[in-house]
Amino acid sequence: MSGQWADRAYIGSFTSAGGRGITTAELDPESGALTELHHTETLVPDPSYLTLTDGPGGPGSPGGHLYAVSERDAGGAAAFSLADRDRPEPLGEPALVRGGGPTHLTIAAGHLITANYGSGSISALPVRADGTLGGRASVHQHTGSGPEAQRQEGPHAHAVVPDPSGRWLLSVDLGTDSVWIYDLRDACPEGEPLPYAEACMPPGSGPRHLTFHPGGAHAYVVCELDSTVTVCSWDAATGALEALGGAATVPNGAAPERNYPSELTVSRDGRFAWAANRGHDSISVFTVAASGDSIELMGTVPCGGHWPRDLALHPSGRWLYAANERSGDVTWFGIDQATGTPHRVGTLAAPAASCIVFG
């Protein structure tokens, strides 16, 4: 089955706020509709962010693995078998990441890597051939701060994203107004990730998440504290990330007293981008220059709920999903392929929803 027709969605949540753990939902690729199938309930506390690996038959086939953070002070990460794609089966107990409040994770260079917001660090756990997590987590501590005293008193790693070449890992840090760049080929003998460079973002912007343009030469950093997206050039040969400019995520004068963008996704052809706004409770619609080096805000549409913590584009490019944490639902939208405008289609109840991935 091609990933273009991924027909399962996995929804993370905050069990501490009434979430039902990880929800499996059937996804109809023709209509975008979600139908819930299963919940892990409290098997893993606060599985707020997820990632998965494909089964041996490729995207959408059985036999893959699902991974979740456990966003607690004593942070953890958990592995699940997807031998039955409808009922993720835990593979042992969650492993400690030796960091606080992990908010994001990825699989890279044979490791599960987490961004730990509370402790301002990243952690790497070895992934065994059978998908289980093994060994003691290795940790690298970020350092620094930013101008907003309440949110930037110290480092707050928020996302970890491999670059398209697979050589580099980029860690977005809200507290230091920077993106830490790691060479995945380089680690000390104990396995600690070692930073290669630190790329500065605008002071006080509070960078949160990063998404690459399909062309690979540009990246977009959604910034939580100033409601902007920073456009960056990316050189995979040298590991250099440079801020070029950006755009606001809401029209001038339209934002509430505080607005906190959460996630950004880019269309498969690179023509459009969308960002989620918590506070404004909207989805920003951007057009992207053909070169990828600039974006323009075209407008916003309501997110279909309250406090959209995550925004995810289905691999087909036809459907966009907003995980609305405080209203407890996932809303899906059809995408106008000519204009990039999302049009609301339906909603699935999902208490304390925080993330959605497809498989």
Side-chain angles (χ1 to χ4, degrees):
M1 179 186 297
S2 167
Q4 181 175 354
W5 306 112
D7 62 358
R8 291 294 181 272
Y10 302 94
I11 303 165
S13 71
F14 288 99
T15 55
S16 57
R20 300 190 64 185
I22 300 169
T23 295
T24 305
E26 183 178 12
L27 189 155
D28 182 344
E30 292 303 316
S31 68
L34 298 176
T35 304
E36 65 179 52
L37 298 172
H38 180 258
H39 309 278
T40 62
E41 302 294 352
T42 57
L43 278 175
V44 174
D46 291 335
S48 64
Y49 207 88
L50 313 173
T51 192
L52 53 78
T53 59
D54 296 331
S61 67
H65 296 94
L66 179 68
Y67 298 93
V69 299
S70 180
E71 192 175 335
R72 294 291 179 96
D73 290 342
F80 294 82
S81 167
L82 292 179
D84 180 346
R85 296 167 61 228
D86 294 347
R87 301 178 66 90
E89 184 69 25
L91 296 173
E93 295 294 319
L96 292 176
V97 300
R98 299 174 59 212
T103 56
H104 196 258
L105 78 170
T106 191
I107 302 292
H111 288 74
L112 183 148
I113 303 172
T114 64
N116 308 316
Y117 180 88
S119 54
S121 60
I122 72 166
S123 302
L125 280 160
V127 178
R128 301 187 181 106
D130 63 359
T132 58
L133 302 175
R136 177 178 168 88
S138 55
V139 180
H140 182 264
Q141 179 65 51
H142 291 181
T143 57
S145 60
E148 184 163 323
Q150 289 188 333
R151 296 293 306 279
Q152 297 184 309
E153 80 294 344
H156 292 297
H158 213 303
V160 279
V161 182
D163 88 311
S165 76
R167 173 179 171 181
W168 308 96
L169 179 81
L170 287 75
S171 176
V172 184
D173 196 303
L174 184 148
T176 62
D177 283 327
S178 61
V179 178
W180 295 66
I181 300 164
Y182 295 80
D183 189 335
L184 289 171
R185 305 172 305 174
D186 184 23
C188 74
E190 292 78 21
E192 176 189 342
L194 296 177
Y196 170 84
E198 184 181 2
C200 295
M201 297 294 111
S205 60
R208 177 183 173 92
H209 276 199
L210 178 149
T211 304
F212 281 96
H213 184 272
H218 295 90
Y220 308 100
V221 181
V222 63
C223 297
E224 177 172 332
L225 299 183
D226 69 355
S227 294
T228 63
V229 175
T230 297
V231 179
C232 303
S233 62
W234 170 247
D235 186 341
T238 62
L241 184 77
E242 181 180 357
L244 301 176
T249 65
V250 292
N252 289 336
E257 182 178 352
R258 290 314 304 250
N259 179 63
Y260 304 97
S262 59
E263 181 60 286
L264 179 139
T265 187
V266 181
S267 65
R268 297 177 66 192
D269 60 11
R271 295 167 57 217
F272 304 108
W274 303 273
N277 291 294
R278 295 170 299 169
H280 196 245
D281 284 344
S282 66
I283 298 172
S284 312
V285 184
F286 299 95
T287 56
V288 181
S291 61
D293 64 358
S294 66
I295 63 174
E296 181 180 357
L297 178 66
M298 301 304 294
T300 62
V301 300
C303 69
H306 180 33
W307 213 251
R309 189 177 181 89
D310 193 32
L311 192 66
L313 185 67
H314 187 261
S316 68
R318 298 174 59 189
W319 312 107
L320 186 68
Y321 295 79
N324 297 312
E325 179 185 353
R326 294 186 180 174
S327 56
D329 52 67
V330 172
T331 300
W332 59 94
F333 301 79
I335 301 295
D336 185 313
Q337 299 299 307
T339 67
T341 304
H343 300 281
R344 179 176 174 174
V345 178
T347 298
L348 174 72
S354 57
C355 170
I356 182 166
V357 297
F358 309 105

